[in-house]
Amino acid sequence: MSPAPIFDPETSDEELLLRVARGDAAAFEALYDRYARRLYGLALRMFRSQDQAEDALQEAFSRIWLRAGLYNPERGRAVFWLMRLGRNLYLDRLRARRRMEERIQADAFYDEYETSAPGPESAVQLDSLAQSLRRGLQTLAPELQTVIEMSFFMGLSHSEIAAKLNLAPGTVKTRLRRGMDKLRDWLRREKFSLETHG
């Protein structure tokens, strides 16, 4: 078996990427040597975690290996294609992480809500919990109250809320997170008050 060719430093990124598309492992290694540091630096800035940046970098190069055939040199330089692929992957992972964090926050919120009254669920207890939640909502600033009601009680997505309120989706997410944190704190305080004075 002949040794893998060592590419000349003058070999263009475009040539390496085209060879990767044909399954050339040595070209892939050369491309990795050239861009791993840059793609890792980008991941580290976006994730602010070495472990997550390393995982993302590994996935980025896996995608480069699998998708190199999609690269068209007539549409731009290889470096832009590589960095855009990495950036898009990292953004996808960040969005997925945020969605997971929001689900965890929502679960924690409902757990707090459901455990704020002891004993088996009953119509009376549920009504009491609903009244407690309504009181808590009334303590929030109107803009926080609105997004929580639209999200949890009307079932609207962040983009739907943003469209209805003429806000940026990021603003909706921030308000929802702040509102949930404040409401969760309020429910804890009320639960403590009921247990102390009940």
Side-chain angles (χ1 to χ4, degrees):
M1 181 176 178
S2 59
I6 299 174
F7 287 95
D8 188 287
E10 298 301 317
T11 303
S12 69
D13 297 337
E14 289 73 22
E15 176 64 21
L16 289 177
L17 198 50
L18 291 172
R19 289 183 181 231
V20 171
R22 297 194 292 270
D24 189 326
F28 179 75
E29 290 177 11
L31 208 58
Y32 182 92
D33 289 341
R34 288 187 187 182
Y35 286 101
R37 180 171 293 184
R38 287 179 66 176
L39 284 167
Y40 176 72
L42 176 62
L44 196 57
R45 287 196 300 274
M46 294 176 71
F47 292 99
R48 302 179 185 278
S49 161
Q50 286 188 341
D51 289 341
Q52 292 183 33
E54 290 169 1
D55 288 344
L57 177 68
Q58 182 177 354
E59 185 175 352
F61 272 95
S62 295
R63 286 199 183 185
I64 290 168
W65 174 258
L66 294 172
R67 299 185 181 184
L70 299 176
Y71 169 66
N72 182 352
E74 295 180 359
R75 299 185 63 182
R77 294 172 56 192
V79 59
F80 298 137
W81 187 87
L82 291 165
M83 299 306 292
R84 184 168 59 248
L85 182 147
R87 180 177 179 276
N88 290 343
L89 167 65
Y90 301 161
L91 286 172
D92 288 344
R93 288 175 70 112
L94 282 172
R95 291 187 189 107
R97 187 177 74 181
R98 288 181 186 130
R99 286 194 295 270
M100 179 62 70
E101 288 172 351
E102 286 164 3
R103 284 197 293 271
I104 291 171
Q105 281 191 333
D107 289 344
F109 169 78
Y110 282 119
D111 287 345
E112 191 73 34
Y113 175 66
E114 289 169 358
T115 58
S116 61
E121 290 185 352
S122 67
V124 173
Q125 287 172 333
L126 289 174
D127 183 62
S128 174
L129 289 173
Q131 290 179 17
S132 178
L133 184 55
R134 280 195 293 270
R135 289 195 301 272
L137 281 170
Q138 290 170 3
T139 68
L140 301 179
E143 66 271 15
L144 303 182
Q145 182 178 342
T146 298
V147 294
I148 287 179
E149 289 175 341
M150 295 177 78
S151 177
F152 288 95
F153 303 122
M154 297 173 63
L156 299 181
S157 68
H158 293 164
S159 58
E160 289 171 334
I161 296 171
K164 286 182 177 294
L165 298 179
N166 195 27
L167 296 170
T171 301
V172 171
K173 291 179 182 180
T174 299
R175 290 184 181 181
L176 185 58
R177 189 176 300 114
R178 284 175 51 210
M180 287 173 60
D181 288 343
K182 289 178 179 295
L183 187 55
R184 192 159 47 241
D185 289 342
W186 187 89
L187 287 170
R188 289 196 188 104
R189 289 195 301 272
E190 181 172 82
K191 180 182 178 183
F192 175 78
S193 177
L194 289 173
E195 289 173 346
T196 303
H197 302 101

